[in-house]
Amino acid sequence: MNYQIELRHFIYFLAVAEELHYRKAAERLFISQPGVSTQIKQMEGILQTQLFIRDKKKVRLTPAGEFLKGEVEFILNHLEQTKKQLKLIGEGHLGEIRIGFLGSAMQNVIPNLLLDLKENFPFIHTSLEELSNRAQIPAILSDKLDLGFVRLSRVPKGLKLKPVFEDTFSLVLPKDHPLDMKGFKNIGQVATDDFILFSQDYSPQYYDTVLSICEDAGFTPNVSHKSVHAQTVFKLVENKLGIAIVPTALQYGFQMKVKFIELEQIEQRAVLSMVWKEDNRNPALKNCMDLLLKL
Amino acid sequence: MNYQIELRHFIYFLAVAEELHYRKAAERLFISQPGVSTQIKQMEGILQTQLFIRDKKKVRLTPAGEFLKGEVEFILNHLEQTKKQLKLIGEGHLGEIRIGFLGSAMQNVIPNLLLDLKENFPFIHTSLEELSNRAQIPAILSDKLDLGFVRLSRVPKGLKLKPVFEDTFSLVLPKDHPLDMKGFKNIGQVATDDFILFSQDYSPQYYDTVLSICEDAGFTPNVSHKSVHAQTVFKLVENKLGIAIVPTALQYGFQMKVKFIELEQIEQRAVLSMVWKEDNRNPALKNCMDLLLKL
DNA sequence: TCTATTTGATAATTCATAGTTATTAAATAC
DNA sequence: GTATTTAATAACTATGAATTATCAAATAGA
């Protein structure tokens, strides 16, 4: 009668909170549905708080449940990281940092960073995950990532942002486009072309910057396609579905039948920044940040 | 054979880590000693890491165990706070903030703060705990406190510090001390008296400041007693065991047979500051800080 | 309107395992 | 050398998590 909350409850709760469906949650947890029902009910009893509203055929979170979901995610992520760290410490290694990054950082920044880290902290493991700007922020806040590489100019309270790489933009044209490096004077020459851009959602910063480049040249671009993958953008240009403006670094690493014209004289820059949580408890990150902030 | 870590393990682990004694830990947990032994052993199996070194008659933590202890404290405190918040949200209240403070803040700052809070956020509960400077910092870092009131000029990374009250110092003398308000010219007049100070450990900032006041007057005080309670300091002065220099605000609220001479002309000030963790996840604190930072 | 299907809750049962008692071996203390 | 204290081990018990079987309520489709 006098039960205690256990991690089991949290794991079940999270499954139900995400699925909003007891049977599906049960399947995901590899237990039977009544097991989930009784445990959630017990949990509500222990916490003396209703977490779900079930009106037969529909399950949804109460405000308290909503709050708990965030906290449980945080706790479980933190715990997962603690377990990893612990094992590494036990084995005499030091730690792990989990890095999120935009695809466009893979050309130069990330590889250099990893080499530097390896050299200075040979016992710190790194794990990499490619994620959009938007996905990295909550992952860092909830301790799923330690460090992110984004193109953003503002981040929520509690996070720190530091620019690490400034790149010019380049115009991307099909191989047989009439305009070439010699003939190029200013961006106004392609005012009537269709544009292919990275989607706003993936990187609002990038999107706004490209628009401002065109505005400065006195026209509003006609955006025909949007994509989240550089590969796709280049492929679309190759197939003459439009032209693009992308960070110059992206031209390396893709085998594409397109030509690049670097827009050196344009003042806008593609800024890649590091983001991390100021009070991240990962001791490995602390060491790394000391190094990274010096570079 | 394929167990999972549960909160139970953490609670047992913490008991053993603190007692460094299986039987005592078992007593504290109200279970039998073999129960603790098996669970800790199981835990080490799950985490694949040795947490304790027991060489018959002595138990101590491994480095990994040391690390885990800190994390477990953090997680359990965070959890405790989450449970409270959750219940309050469920009941329609908003939250609770836990405040630590130095005794000397109780005279004016804390009461005013509480009144302001009550007025602006009637549904935020507050809990108060009197703690030394030194004890408040780790309590805030490990989510045991949300807000602290300290006399410090520096705090560890991740914490924020904001001065909220500056007070002059006052000389505290026995009622029948030859020096009085009229005859007082400068602190050099008591250079040969014995001094009673708050202990360095309790407030290094205060200690250094008092020494600098004396230094400025050209002498080094002869410190005969140190104490952590204002009550004690005053009692010692009353009994002519020495004189003291304390923040002026302390003269209110104690019924003591001592006299105060305010050192208005001295430039040093007793600075009371708020401390909090920048990325504290307590939603109630966020509201309060918005208010407090405006005052 | 009637049936079939799906939902989460409940009841009875089973089974895993946390915690118990009893005991041991090793390390101190006297 | 004996007595006491330590944590670990073994055998057992009993709590409670999870299972199967079932139900009532809600929806969907005819």
Side-chain angles (χ1 to χ4, degrees):
Chain A
M1 300 290 160
N2 215 349
Y3 298 104
Q4 276 276 184
I5 280 288
E6 285 296 347
L7 291 177
R8 177 188 59 253
H9 291 115
F10 286 159
I11 291 161
Y12 292 5
F13 166 78
L14 205 56
V16 178
E18 281 172 6
E19 301 285 350
L20 291 177
H21 199 291
Y22 277 68
R23 190 180 49 73
K24 284 182 193 161
E27 268 171 31
R28 185 166 123 180
L29 296 164
F30 300 107
I31 63 168
S32 66
Q33 171 265 314
V36 179
S37 280
T38 51
Q39 286 299 303
I40 295 289
K41 185 163 237 194
Q42 189 189 64
M43 191 176 175
E44 291 182 324
I46 298 170
L47 299 172
Q48 298 191 61
T49 308
Q50 199 181 343
L51 301 172
F52 294 101
I53 299 167
R54 330 54 156 160
D55 39 6
K56 261 341 183 204
K57 219 72 183 178
K58 228 190 281 171
V59 175
R60 55 187 211 279
L61 284 160
T62 61
E66 205 78 59
F67 167 76
L68 186 62
K69 187 180 171 216
E71 295 304 307
V72 165
E73 280 169 0
F74 172 80
I75 290 170
L76 294 183
N77 283 330
H78 187 84
L79 193 66
E80 213 44 53
Q81 181 62 0
T82 299
K83 275 154 80 175
K84 277 193 198 164
Q85 296 266 124
L86 191 72
K87 208 167 156 226
L88 289 166
I89 293 173
E91 287 166 357
H93 302 94
L94 227 96
E96 183 197 36
I97 59 172
R98 300 154 300 174
I99 302 173
F101 65 99
L102 287 176
S104 59
M106 205 60 217
Q107 299 312 321
N108 33 25
V109 179
I110 297 277
N112 284 332
L113 169 85
L114 293 181
L115 288 175
D116 277 342
L117 281 184
K118 205 83 216 152
E119 195 173 315
N120 286 278
F121 303 107
F123 292 128
I124 289 182
H125 294 206
T126 48
S127 76
L128 291 171
E129 193 176 353
E130 184 173 349
L131 288 170
S132 73
N133 279 311
R134 208 147 80 126
Q136 289 186 58
I137 301 304
I140 292 171
L141 280 171
S142 73
D143 264 14
K144 204 177 285 176
L145 286 182
D146 295 308
L147 186 59
F149 285 85
V150 296
R151 297 192 194 277
L152 291 170
S153 48
R154 261 199 297 267
V155 286
K157 213 171 150 184
L159 295 189
K160 282 250 183 184
L161 188 70
K162 202 209 168 207
V164 287
F165 183 67
E166 261 197 22
D167 199 5
T168 54
F169 283 98
S170 280
L171 200 56
V172 190
L173 304 172
K175 269 265 152 69
D176 57 357
H177 192 279
L179 191 63
D180 64 10
M181 203 89 78
K182 281 176 201 160
F184 179 78
K185 289 205 183 98
N186 68 67
I187 196 90
Q189 293 172 272
V190 292
T192 57
D193 282 77
D194 282 338
F195 275 76
I196 299 154
L197 301 184
F198 285 104
S199 65
Q200 239 158 329
D201 193 71
Y202 183 72
S203 183
Q205 172 78 353
Y206 158 85
Y207 198 88
D208 291 348
T209 308
V210 170
L211 287 193
S212 80
I213 291 174
C214 296
E215 249 172 50
D216 291 352
F219 70 97
T220 304
N222 178 27
V223 180
S224 59
H225 296 85
K226 295 178 185 178
S227 168
V228 296
H229 294 295
Q231 189 85 22
T232 313
V233 171
F234 293 150
K235 206 76 200 170
L236 291 171
V237 173
E238 185 180 322
N239 289 307
K240 298 172 197 167
L241 292 165
I243 65 171
I245 295 178
V246 301
T248 300
L250 270 183
Q251 77 181 276
Y252 312 107
F254 293 97
Q255 295 242 324
M256 285 290 154
K257 289 166 200 119
V258 293
K259 55 185 175 190
F260 286 82
I261 299 178
E262 191 177 351
L263 307 171
E264 286 170 286
Q265 73 290 7
I266 277 177
E267 65 174 5
Q268 284 91 340
R269 291 286 180 269
V271 179
L272 187 75
S273 301
M274 299 194 295
V275 214
W276 69 101
K277 195 165 75 165
E278 185 153 32
D279 128 323
N280 187 306
R281 295 179 68 85
N282 184 343
L285 184 67
K286 209 157 282 177
N287 292 328
C288 291
M289 288 317 298
D290 290 345
L291 170 69
L292 295 174
L293 291 175
K294 274 181 209 143
L295 301 181
Chain B
M1 302 292 159
N2 214 349
Y3 297 106
Q4 275 273 201
I5 280 289
E6 285 296 346
L7 292 177
R8 177 188 62 252
H9 291 115
F10 286 160
I11 291 162
Y12 292 5
F13 167 77
L14 206 57
V16 178
E18 281 171 6
E19 302 285 349
L20 292 177
H21 198 290
Y22 276 68
R23 190 180 51 71
K24 284 181 192 161
E27 269 171 31
R28 187 167 122 180
L29 296 165
F30 299 109
I31 63 168
S32 67
Q33 171 265 312
V36 179
S37 280
T38 50
Q39 287 299 303
I40 294 289
K41 186 161 234 193
Q42 190 189 63
M43 191 176 174
E44 291 182 324
I46 298 170
L47 299 171
Q48 298 191 61
T49 309
Q50 198 181 344
L51 301 172
F52 294 101
I53 299 166
R54 339 38 165 166
D55 39 6
K56 256 353 180 198
K57 219 72 180 177
K58 228 190 280 169
V59 175
R60 54 186 211 281
L61 284 160
T62 61
E66 206 77 62
F67 166 76
L68 186 61
K69 187 180 172 217
E71 294 305 307
V72 164
E73 280 168 359
F74 172 80
I75 290 170
L76 293 184
N77 283 329
H78 187 84
L79 194 65
E80 213 44 53
Q81 180 62 1
T82 299
K83 274 154 81 175
K84 278 193 197 166
Q85 296 265 124
L86 192 72
K87 211 170 153 222
L88 289 167
I89 293 174
E91 288 166 357
H93 303 93
L94 228 98
E96 183 197 35
I97 59 172
R98 299 154 302 173
I99 302 173
F101 65 99
L102 288 176
S104 60
M106 204 57 216
Q107 299 312 321
N108 33 25
V109 180
I110 296 278
N112 284 332
L113 170 86
L114 293 181
L115 288 174
D116 277 341
L117 280 183
K118 205 82 214 150
E119 195 173 316
N120 285 278
F121 302 108
F123 292 128
I124 290 182
H125 294 206
T126 48
S127 76
L128 292 171
E129 194 176 354
E130 184 173 349
L131 288 170
S132 73
N133 278 312
R134 210 157 68 140
Q136 288 186 58
I137 300 304
I140 291 171
L141 280 171
S142 73
D143 264 13
K144 204 178 286 175
L145 286 182
D146 296 308
L147 186 59
F149 285 85
V150 295
R151 298 191 193 278
L152 292 170
S153 49
R154 260 199 298 268
V155 285
K157 213 169 149 184
L159 296 189
K160 281 250 182 182
L161 188 69
K162 202 208 167 207
V164 286
F165 183 68
E166 262 197 23
D167 199 6
T168 54
F169 283 98
S170 281
L171 200 56
V172 189
L173 305 172
K175 268 265 150 76
D176 56 358
H177 192 278
L179 190 63
D180 64 9
M181 202 91 77
K182 281 175 202 161
F184 179 78
K185 287 204 185 100
N186 67 68
I187 196 89
Q189 293 171 275
V190 293
T192 57
D193 282 76
D194 281 340
F195 275 76
I196 299 154
L197 300 184
F198 286 103
S199 65
Q200 239 159 328
D201 192 70
Y202 183 72
S203 184
Q205 172 77 352
Y206 158 86
Y207 198 88
D208 291 348
T209 307
V210 170
L211 287 192
S212 81
I213 290 174
C214 296
E215 250 172 49
D216 291 351
F219 70 96
T220 302
N222 178 26
V223 180
S224 60
H225 296 86
K226 294 179 186 177
S227 169
V228 295
H229 294 295
Q231 189 86 23
T232 312
V233 172
F234 292 149
K235 207 76 200 170
L236 291 171
V237 172
E238 184 181 322
N239 289 308
K240 298 173 197 166
L241 292 165
I243 64 171
I245 295 178
V246 301
T248 301
L250 269 183
Q251 76 181 275
Y252 312 106
F254 292 97
Q255 295 240 324
M256 286 289 156
K257 290 169 199 113
V258 293
K259 57 186 174 188
F260 286 83
I261 299 178
E262 190 177 351
L263 308 170
E264 287 171 286
Q265 73 290 6
I266 278 177
E267 64 173 6
Q268 284 92 339
R269 291 286 179 269
V271 179
L272 187 74
S273 300
M274 298 193 296
V275 214
W276 68 100
K277 194 164 76 164
E278 185 153 33
D279 128 323
N280 187 305
R281 295 179 68 85
N282 184 342
L285 184 67
K286 209 158 280 175
N287 292 328
C288 291
M289 288 318 296
D290 290 345
L291 170 70
L292 295 174
L293 291 175
K294 276 183 208 144
L295 300 180

